[in-house]
Amino acid sequence: MLAALALLLVAAPGAQARDPGRWLFTGASSIPTVYWQGLTSDPPGKRVFFVGVFEGLWRTTPGLSQTAGAAAAIPVTVTAAEGYNHIGDPTWNRDRVLLPMECYDPATGVNSCGTGAFGIVDPATLAWRFYVKLDPAEIPKAMWAETSPDGKLIWTSSGNDLLAYRTSDVTPANAAPGAGPIRAARRLTGAVPPSGVTGAVFRGGRLLLAGERDGIYQVWAVDTRTGKRRLEVELKLCGESEGLDTVATLGGTLHWLIAPSDSGCKLTFGPSSALLHFTPRPGRSGLRVKVLRLRVPATLPGRVQAKVRVTRRGRPLTGARVSFAGASGLTGRRGTAVLWPPLELPGRFKAVARKGGRYGLSRLTEVAWPS
């Protein structure tokens, strides 16, 4: 299965001849299935927040160790009044976590109330604060949300259009049910990528949007000034595309949540959810990287040890920077480095080596906890 996964993730972009090679896939962490719909993190990158399966909210460390959770983040009074029972890909919004909400009937897949809203929770306690409804004339449900780099706008989508709401409108003064819905401040007509949107995050001033269509999984970068978009990542796999986030952890800076649900194919990851890790391509390929040894302690979580070798044209490469699942170091005169990745959850990871404008990737190496 591991060999098949490696072939799938390496060969798929070439087979489609579309992946631009801007990002390197560096691994996938196996995460709890309740981490299903999306994720976000605070600006320091110290706290990560997951949502799912429907309305749960979970907080973890960057290494994915859970520190708090609320199985039902939406108050029963809000569900009774509005019908909201589903949270999409969330966003960090000025010292608070913002939850995009909708009404969803799992039996039919129908949006049962025709409205969407932004819910606000306290990041320290996960306690509910208030919610603000969105004008249903513009948007029937809120499936994801992402705050602009300056914190002034909250982006989401309706049909083929991207919509942005003012953060200054998401306040207790506009809280439902006492206040009426707020309206979008901006609309980018037709800016939603062909693969749709299941999750989003800003990076470098561009809005990255994840989606899936006909088994092809894509991440697009959208210029929110013009609506112009550029393909960032393309993969072919089996699963359900969900949220995106950017935080430096586990060997990546871009992370894509894949839920364990798809029809007509065998799940690439499973049986739980998976968090895929990506890092920007650091130069030209040309280094050969191999994980020589992997040691997993009998009691876990614990200190995993990985010994990695780097060569260039068959010769050991000294002074190469090597990373594996969040740990990094330099190779010695034999071209090897011993790394201690701080893993809290199992997964499959690649070692990445860089030196002199060149890089190399190892094959996927599985890190499994003892049974």
Side-chain angles (χ1 to χ4, degrees), residues 164-181:
Y165 296 83
R166 295 184 184 89
T167 293
S168 59
D169 285 340
V170 183
T171 64
N174 288 325

Side-chain angles (χ1 to χ4, degrees), residues 190-214:
V192 169
S195 47
V197 186
T198 61
V201 68
F202 270 95
R203 182 182 184 274
R206 292 178 180 268
L207 181 61
L208 302 187
L209 302 174
E212 178 270 336
R213 182 178 181 181
D214 299 328

